[in-house]
Each structure stands twice: as structure tokens, then as C-alpha cells.
Amino acid sequence: MSKNTEQIKVIVIGAGLGGCATALALKHHGHEVVVFERLKQFKRLGDSLGFGENALKLLDRWGGKELYHQLTSIGNQAEDMQIRRWHDGKILAQQPLMDMAGYIGHRGDYHEALLQAVRDAGIEIRTGCEVVAFDEDAPSVTLADGGVETADLIVGADGIKSRARELVLGFTDAPKSSGYSCWRAYFPGEHLREDPRCRDFVDHDCVNIWIGDDTHLVQNTLRGGKEFNWIITRKLSDEKDLEIKESWFQDGDMDEVREHIRTLDPRIAAALENTEACLDWKICYRDPIPSWVSKSHKVALVGDSCHPHLPTSAQGASQATESGAVLAVCLKLAGKGNVPLATRTYEKLRFARTRLSQGNGEDLRDRWHNALKNLDQGGEIDPESVKMRNRWLYAYDAEADANLRWAEVSKQVAEELRTGKITPLC
């Protein structure tokens, strides 16, 4: 590591999972950090989310064994997951749950753990502070109450609807329909035990996946059956359904769900029939962007604001954590007077890996949704053809990789900064 010890002041916009992880990374590497969050208070929102070992090893480093054990205890404790045939539940493949998303737990529980870790690290989170404008040259942010805050670097960790992303791009980046939608539900699993058809899915921690034509269902049971989550991803065909309405809180139509599951394995279908309400989340995406850094090089993006992932990637939070790690290391190596060198090196170090991770999600969805099509009567599926392929992601150490590749990549970046010709990421 460089001996650059003068603190770099960083404002992180957004106290979600990616923002919290980035704040922890920056603090760990000696930077001064403050987090601005527009919400006044946090709620236990969302449902299942996974943290892979590639992220957990970093959070262990930044927050200690206590944080690591807290995060792993939140997640599903099953050893294996089963990938099943849609109509009868026949097991087509089985693999370790760690190959899927690592530890799968409730997003709200993970969020609360990271928020507490940020507070324990002495990092200030200013809630109720909405950023309404940027001055990228200062750099500074203007808050809704008129206050102005300056720093050496602004980090946009404000999610898929990021305002910082608009600044970096220079225009509003409208969402695009992925052509798919998710019905999602999360509720106490106790009452399902009364139905013998679905009892096997609520008496212990387990993850099962049913795959069918242009659809799949993921079931996740937590805390020994106390909490139950199901998610159906389906391909959209109706033009009205393809209209983009980017909301995580749109009510779903349970009658539509029941129609969709008419041919589903009766055991898990029973659990859905006993579900009172669900959400309908139209899965949107953004095209890869040519830069994660503003023209002044002093506003940088992390997480969903620059590399959003599909749910089937099972890596969104983990990749955001990796990005926070690499940015923090680059700032440390570059030093206070070289923020542009740090941010431009950061984006080049991260882009290729995040694209591969994003592509994993698309590949898995397509393999699941097409596996049973045109299969001969009585034909057997190769188990390897439907397994998740995330294992290669977990051995990676984002901080070690940044240190290893810093000299080569920063040399290239330094020349680009000298000539003013920044090579686009894509």
C-alpha cells in the first residue's frame, strides 16, 4: 500500500447496502466519510437477498468477526438447494447453497446490520438529507434545505434511480423493460405447517427452485420455518405488461398468480394459494454506461447506480461491496492530490468483472426458462445444464486484486488524464 496518509474527505450519497459497505471500506482505508440519506428512518423493506463469500470476506475485514457472524447468522442455514421440474417437483439438480448466493437472508436484516456497523465505525449517517444538486468541480452537494456540503470526492450509491448517475451521463437514463416481471411475497411460515402439502418446505431452512417454460419460482425458508418467501419470475408477453412502471411496491394480482401456477407442483402451489397478497415488480435494467465517473473525475458511482444486476445473478449486493472496496483502495494508493487518478483507475479495474457477473444472471435465467422446452417425452436433463455458475466469483479478493493491478492500470489512466482522452468503458 502507498504511504499516502492525508485523509481524503468523501461524501457517500445513499445509506442502502452498497452505500453502507462503501462507507465501511472508505473508513477502513483511512478516509473521512459522511453518508447522506434522504429517508428520515429505515424500515424492514424487501425480502430475500444474498451475500456471497466474495463480499463477506471484505465485511469481515472492515467490521470484524462480530459483523461476519451476524451476517452469516441472518442467512439461510441449509447446506444444499434443489432445482426442480415445474409440474411435479422432480429434483433435476442439487448443489451447495453457497453456489447460489452465499447466505440468503432478509434484505432488511442485512441492512440493519450494516447500518449498525457503520455507526459502530464512527461514521456519521445524516438522515432526512436529500441531495438535489451537484457541483462536480468543487465538488459539493446541495441539500433540499439549501445547505451545501463539500468534499474531495462525491460517491453516488443512490441506487438504480440515481441522480448522481444522471450527472455522470449528462442526461436522464430512462429504464428499459427486461421483458420479465417478478411476483414476490414474504410472510410468517407458521400457518403453512397446517397444510400437509407444503409442510416439507416450512419445517426447516431450505431453498428450492422450480423451473418451467419461460418461468421459474424460488422458495426460501428462514429461521427454521418462521419466515417464508417465494418469488416467481415470468416472461411478459402482453404489451400492457411490458409498459415500464419501475416500482418495488406495486401490488400484484393473486388471481393472476393462481392462473400462472395451475400446472405447478401441487405441494408448493399450496403455499402460494395460501398467500394473501404479493408485489409485482417489473424487472427493469439500464444499458452499460461508458463511464462511472463525472467529467471532473470527482463524482464516482458504485453499486446499482452503475452496475445493476438481475435477481438471478444473486450478486447485486456483493458486487456493490466489491466496488466500494476497490474505490477505497484506489484512493489510498493515489493520495489526496490524485483523486482523478483514483476514480478513473477504479472504474477500469471494476468494469469487466461486473459485466461478467451481470451476464451470469441473464445466462441462468435463460437456461432455466428454456431447459424443458422441446425435451423428448421421458427425456432427462443434464443436471449441469441447470446449475448456477457463481462459484468462480467467490474466491476473488477485491482489495488484493486492486493492489496487484494498480501499477499497470493507473499508469494507463495517468496517460489518459495527461492527454485528456479518457477511454470509455464500453
Side-chain angles (χ1 to χ4, degrees), residues 12-62:
V12 175
I13 303 170
L17 294 168
C20 285
T22 299
L24 287 171
L26 291 164
K27 179 75 172 184
H28 176 78
H29 286 282
H31 310 303
E32 179 187 349
V33 192
V34 60
V35 182
F36 290 99
E37 169 57 51
R38 66 179 181 83
L39 297 177
K40 293 182 179 179
Q41 59 183 7
F42 302 103
K43 298 179 181 179
R44 191 174 185 253
L45 299 176
D47 46 60
S48 292
L49 177 143
F51 265 111
E53 194 59 39
N54 51 319
L56 291 170
K57 70 178 68 173
L58 298 171
L59 293 164
D60 179 8
R61 230 171 262 162
W62 307 334

Side-chain angles (χ1 to χ4, degrees), residues 4 8 10 26 31 152-153 293 297-298 300 323 326-350 402 406 409-410 413-414 417:
N4 294 312
I8 297 172
V10 184
L26 291 164
H31 310 303
D152 299 303
L153 173 67
V293 179
H297 323 295
K298 297 176 183 177
S323 290
V326 173
L327 178 60
V329 168
C330 288
L331 288 168
K332 177 70 175 179
L333 292 171
K336 188 178 179 72
N338 289 306
V339 168
L341 181 66
T343 56
R344 289 297 179 183
T345 303
Y346 149 72
E347 67 173 4
K348 281 182 167 56
L349 287 171
R350 289 295 297 151
W406 166 261
V409 178
S410 65
V413 170
L417 290 170

Side-chain angles (χ1 to χ4, degrees), residues 173-392:
D173 187 25
K176 294 184 177 182
S177 173
S178 67
Y180 292 84
S181 186
C182 283
W183 285 306
R184 314 172 70 109
Y186 199 105
F187 51 87
E190 291 293 333
H191 74 281
L192 295 181
R193 294 184 182 181
E194 299 174 6
D195 190 328
R197 294 174 296 174
C198 50
R199 192 174 294 152
D200 288 346
F201 304 123
V202 289
D203 64 357
H204 63 290
D205 279 13
C206 61
V207 174
N208 289 276
I209 300 156
W210 285 260
I211 62 173
D213 291 353
D214 295 326
T215 189
H216 72 271
L217 182 153
V218 178
Q219 163 266 319
N220 179 38
T221 304
L222 288 171
R223 296 186 169 95
K226 291 183 179 179
E227 297 187 343
F228 189 85
N229 170 226
W230 59 259
I231 305 170
I232 291 179
T233 300
R234 73 203 192 277
K235 190 172 186 177
L236 300 173
S237 55
D238 191 290
E239 288 188 9
K240 183 178 179 182
D241 282 339
L242 287 168
E243 292 177 6
I244 298 182
K245 191 173 183 179
E246 193 171 38
S247 171
W248 288 270
F249 308 107
Q250 181 178 336
D251 290 335
D253 185 336
M254 283 304 301
D255 287 335
E256 269 192 80
V257 174
R258 294 184 184 97
E259 177 63 23
H260 188 79
I261 63 170
R262 282 187 304 107
T263 59
L264 178 62
D265 176 2
R267 296 174 301 161
I268 189 62
L272 275 67
E273 289 164 3
N274 282 310
T275 302
E276 294 181 359
C278 71
L279 298 177
D280 188 356
W281 173 36
K282 298 293 189 293
I283 304 175
C284 298
Y285 72 98
R286 264 77 172 172
D287 290 327
I289 54 178
S291 178
W292 298 356
V293 179
S294 68
K295 291 180 180 179
S296 72
H297 323 295
K298 297 176 183 177
V299 178
L301 306 175
V302 298
D304 282 351
S305 63
C306 56
H307 51 73
H309 282 62
L310 294 175
T312 41
S313 73
Q315 272 284 303
S318 295
Q319 290 300 312
T321 303
E322 286 187 5
S323 290
V326 173
L327 178 60
V329 168
C330 288
L331 288 168
K332 177 70 175 179
L333 292 171
K336 188 178 179 72
N338 289 306
V339 168
L341 181 66
T343 56
R344 289 297 179 183
T345 303
Y346 149 72
E347 67 173 4
K348 281 182 167 56
L349 287 171
R350 289 295 297 151
F351 183 75
R353 178 170 166 85
T354 58
R355 286 298 295 138
L356 288 172
S357 178
Q358 288 171 316
N360 254 24
E362 298 169 15
D363 169 68
L364 181 65
R365 178 199 64 201
D366 293 343
R367 285 190 287 114
W368 280 353
H369 287 202
N370 291 287
L372 302 178
K373 292 180 180 178
N374 303 318
L375 191 67
D376 293 336
Q377 187 74 22
E380 295 294 329
I381 284 181
D382 176 6
E384 295 301 319
S385 70
V386 293
K387 287 184 178 180
M388 299 193 78
R389 297 169 181 169
N390 276 358
R391 185 176 295 182
W392 65 274

Side-chain angles (χ1 to χ4, degrees), residues 104-119:
I104 307 171
H106 193 287
R107 179 199 175 279
D109 295 340
Y110 280 130
H111 190 207
E112 179 54 41
L114 290 183
L115 284 169
Q116 189 57 51
V118 169
R119 297 183 186 108

